[in-house]
Amino acid sequence: MGRTDGVFRPGEPASGSGEAAALRIEGLRKSFGAHEVLRGVDLAVASHEVICLIGASGSGKSTLLRCVNLLERIDAGTIWLDGQPITSPGVDQNLVRRHIGIVFQSFNLFPHMTVERNVTLAPMKVLGLSRSEAVSQAAELLDRFGLGEKRADYPDRLSGGQQQRVAIVRALAMRPRLMLLDEVTSALDPELVADVLDLIRELAEGGMTMLIATHEMGFARDIASRVCFLADGQIAEQAPPAQLFSQPSDERTRRFLRRITDAGRL
């Protein structure tokens, strides 16, 4: 079960036999007032696995990601990262967040900073990298994802797709163990979506562990190790994409996919 003393020790092996899941969620519940958004979510994500969360708006996808990153206080349940509980009392949430990258629908770049400064700020402030180390790392990442020529630009000089790619690169600069992506293409014009999806596909091929909330069904079918369909605050069904999209077992999944197909999105 891993440690239960409430202390998160990055890089320290969890106790117990066998290799711990990169992320494990058990019995997760979260309410906003009288509305229970998550109603007992259980999920295990292995290292290097890519899990796509699908479901209608309001099904709890974004809230689940925010709970994993400790941006929302959970009401019940436990979340483990690398076999260590991160929702126990006394856990240093800021230390945990160093190891979990999260990218939202909105880009959240600092408008008064260049692309390079956006990418180097947190590694210098939080990880303690020297300026030369942070700049070298930023240059490597930006070049890798086709943004090298944009290092000196400010966000308002970039397209929406470029800004979202910079936001992903900024998260990668923190060298996370786990990446959370929350509908990262939903605010983009259709012609800009492909570049962002290509970047995520490259991360998946490189072995990054990811939990992705997405409305891009074709992308989920192409990239995911497993697809989880959320309904009524629970994971109603999870399966490899070929199985879930062609032979869903839950009637709620079937209804959702019919609507998606009728809308021409699958």
Side-chain angles (χ1 to χ4, degrees):
M1 294 293 290
R3 296 184 177 274
T4 57
D5 56 8
V7 179
F8 179 66
R9 298 173 175 85
E12 182 175 321
S15 60
S17 60
E19 183 179 354
L23 175 70
R24 185 156 57 91
I25 303 167
E26 287 188 2
L28 178 59
R29 291 181 176 271
K30 174 64 184 177
S31 296
F32 295 102
H35 179 48
E36 193 173 27
V37 179
L38 299 175
R39 302 169 50 238
V41 171
D42 299 316
L43 179 65
V45 182
S47 294
H48 314 303
E49 194 172 18
V50 178
I51 304 296
C52 283
L53 307 174
I54 66 171
S57 297
S59 59
K61 302 186 300 296
S62 295
T63 299
L64 177 56
L65 295 185
R66 291 177 63 85
C67 287
V68 170
N69 201 47
L70 307 183
L71 294 173
E72 298 287 355
R73 185 184 299 274
I74 69 173
D75 298 324
T78 306
I79 301 173
W80 287 266
L81 180 65
D82 289 339
Q84 300 184 49
I86 62 175
T87 48
S88 301
V91 167
D92 185 338
Q93 295 185 349
N94 290 325
L95 179 58
V96 172
R97 291 191 191 107
R98 294 183 191 181
H99 302 279
I100 304 176
I102 187 166
V103 183
F104 300 99
Q105 299 176 34
S106 54
F107 319 127
N108 294 331
L109 299 176
F110 296 114
H112 61 292
M113 295 183 182
T114 64
V115 165
E116 180 179 86
R117 184 61 174 156
N118 266 282
V119 175
T120 59
L121 180 63
M124 293 171 60
K125 296 286 188 181
V126 179
L127 300 183
L129 269 62
S130 68
R131 177 166 180 78
S132 62
E133 289 173 326
V135 168
S136 176
Q137 174 183 259
E140 180 179 346
L141 286 169
L142 291 168
D143 286 343
R144 175 182 169 189
F145 295 115
L147 295 162
E149 296 180 355
K150 304 297 182 180
R151 277 186 290 176
D153 287 354
Y154 288 87
D156 64 0
R157 299 292 302 274
L158 306 179
S159 69
Q162 289 170 336
Q163 289 186 60
Q164 191 61 286
R165 285 155 60 202
V166 171
I168 295 172
V169 167
R170 180 175 62 178
L172 290 173
M174 290 295 290
R175 306 170 184 174
R177 302 178 186 197
L178 171 69
M179 282 284 284
L180 309 175
L181 304 175
D182 185 14
E183 301 282 13
V184 293
T185 61
S186 64
L188 302 178
D189 293 333
E191 65 269 20
L192 302 175
V193 168
D195 286 344
V196 174
L197 296 183
D198 284 345
L199 188 158
I200 299 171
R201 185 175 290 105
E202 182 173 337
L203 294 180
E205 292 170 352
M208 175 63 70
T209 308
M210 290 188 283
L211 188 58
I212 305 172
T214 183
H215 64 278
E216 299 282 350
M217 297 299 114
F219 175 70
R221 183 170 52 189
D222 179 47
I223 195 176
S225 314
R226 238 183 317 143
V227 177
C228 297
F229 172 67
L230 273 69
D232 305 318
Q234 297 176 313
I235 296 178
E237 182 172 358
Q238 56 180 302
Q243 177 181 335
L244 187 136
F245 286 118
S246 64
Q247 296 178 314
S249 61
D250 191 281
E251 177 56 30
R252 290 169 295 181
T253 313
R254 290 194 287 268
R255 287 198 305 266
F256 174 78
L257 293 177
R258 279 197 298 268
R259 291 196 299 270
I260 293 295
T261 300
D262 291 343
R265 291 169 51 197
L266 182 61

